[in-house]
Amino acid sequence: MRCIPSIIPAVLVIEPDVHRDSRGIFVETYHAEKYRASGITAVFVQDNHTRSLARTLRGLHMQRRKPQAKLIRVIAGEIFDVAVDLRRGSSTFGRSVCVVLSADNFKQCYIPVGFAHGFCVLTEEAEVEYKCSDVYDATDEFGIAWNDPALAIPWPISDPLLSDRDRANPTLAELGDSLLRYSLDLPSTNL
């Protein structure tokens, strides 16, 4: 596998080896020791699976007191995956990493603690699996507006399908420092 730093080096794009033959394919989708050797030290404690229709946009989400590192992969379809740096003091605060993940390219995206996460579906349907380094707590989650002009995320869609909650997400400026203080006090080099 190849582990490639993105434009924000803490966010990694993983390209696993895909073994193909006349029967089909074999891919090792996770190997703790190999990932650790590549700098991913998070211990994953929960796996999630979502199926979403075309134009669905989920995010941008983050946990406050129980921040989560995530390892994202697509098992059907294609998504535009986004990680936004919210680490206090980071030279890349507010900047995003965007990567297309698909069942065909087998790429994965490692998003460390301190980043908000979101994605939109580029195909008729997409199934996404992701590992998390802490358990989900609905009372601990907050969201940021997907189209916050200050973030300038180059989403490939302009009229996404959103949940009521995501439709009501405030901008980063509207959130204010008090809501973000739990998740932003992380070192900017934390993987």
Side-chain angles (χ1 to χ4, degrees):
M1 94 177 165
R2 287 153 306 289
C3 204
I4 304 159
S6 68
I7 59 169
I8 301 175
V11 177
L12 304 173
V13 176
I14 296 108
E15 295 179 345
D17 292 325
V18 180
H19 304 279
R20 301 172 194 272
D21 64 23
S22 61
R23 300 167 296 165
I25 62 146
F26 173 83
V27 179
E28 189 175 79
T29 61
Y30 182 73
H31 187 292
E33 190 172 309
K34 289 179 184 177
Y35 280 61
R36 193 171 19 263
S38 295
I40 298 173
T41 59
V43 175
F44 296 111
V45 298
Q46 179 177 323
D47 283 3
N48 298 324
H49 181 131
T50 181
R51 179 183 300 136
S52 303
L53 301 176
R55 294 184 28 252
T56 295
L57 192 147
R58 295 179 183 268
L60 300 161
H61 303 148
M62 189 169 175
Q63 301 284 111
R64 287 177 284 211
R65 292 172 302 279
K66 296 179 177 181
Q68 297 175 321
K70 295 178 179 174
L71 181 62
I72 317 294
R73 74 185 188 106
V74 173
I75 60 171
E78 182 175 83
I79 67 170
F80 183 80
D81 201 49
V82 176
V84 178
D85 189 351
L86 295 181
R87 299 169 298 171
R88 184 184 309 284
S90 169
S91 63
T92 56
F93 180 87
R95 289 186 49 205
S96 59
V97 171
C98 305
V99 60
V100 173
L101 305 177
S102 74
D104 292 332
N105 71 19
F106 297 96
K107 290 181 182 178
Q108 299 175 2
C109 188
Y110 172 71
I111 302 171
V113 165
F115 285 74
H117 175 248
F119 68 86
C120 69
V121 176
L122 301 176
T123 49
E124 287 301 311
E125 187 175 90
E127 293 193 43
V128 178
E129 289 188 340
Y130 54 101
K131 295 181 169 303
C132 299
S133 64
D134 205 339
V135 295
Y136 175 74
D137 179 349
T139 65
D140 192 39
E141 183 177 49
F142 69 94
I144 301 167
W146 69 277
N147 58 351
D148 183 339
L151 301 178
I153 298 168
W155 294 103
I157 59 175
S158 58
D159 184 27
L161 297 175
L162 299 166
S163 68
D164 290 341
R165 184 185 62 160
D166 284 347
R167 192 174 295 107
N169 283 342
T171 64
L172 191 57
E174 291 168 338
L175 278 171
D177 190 51
S178 62
L179 186 58
L180 292 175
R181 72 177 180 267
Y182 298 106
S183 57
L184 295 178
D185 288 328
L186 300 161
S188 63
T189 58
N190 185 11
L191 284 182

